[in-house]
Amino acid sequence: MEQDRDPQPEQPGGDGIVCAGCGTVAQETPVTWTCSVEDGARRYFCDDCARANLRAIEGRLDSSWW
């Protein structure tokens, strides 16, 4: 199985990184955002969404459970 070695893959549209929780857009991935791999796809979450769901993230629950 080949691993994805690109640390910041572009999201569709190329308009920046979009928070999968609230839709906040950032031009570059902020170092404080959280990246989650769900069903083989990377999803990014802003500071506020990550803080609000910290226990679920630490428990490795997919965002659909939040």
Side-chain angles (χ1 to χ4, degrees):
M1 184 172 149
E2 185 177 321
Q3 292 183 345
D4 181 9
R5 298 189 185 272
D6 185 5
Q8 293 182 347
E10 291 184 34
Q11 290 185 349
D15 293 333
I17 302 298
V18 179
C19 174
C22 67
T24 298
V25 178
Q27 293 304 314
E28 295 180 5
T29 308
V31 296
T32 56
W33 281 32
T34 300
C35 178
S36 174
V37 178
E38 300 175 17
D39 295 322
R42 290 187 186 190
R43 300 182 72 181
Y44 294 92
F45 296 93
C46 69
D47 300 339
D48 292 335
C49 289
R51 282 190 196 110
N53 298 289
L54 184 60
R55 288 182 186 245
I57 292 169
E58 289 179 344
R60 302 279 185 203
L61 295 175
D62 285 350
S63 58
S64 60
W65 285 86
W66 309 351

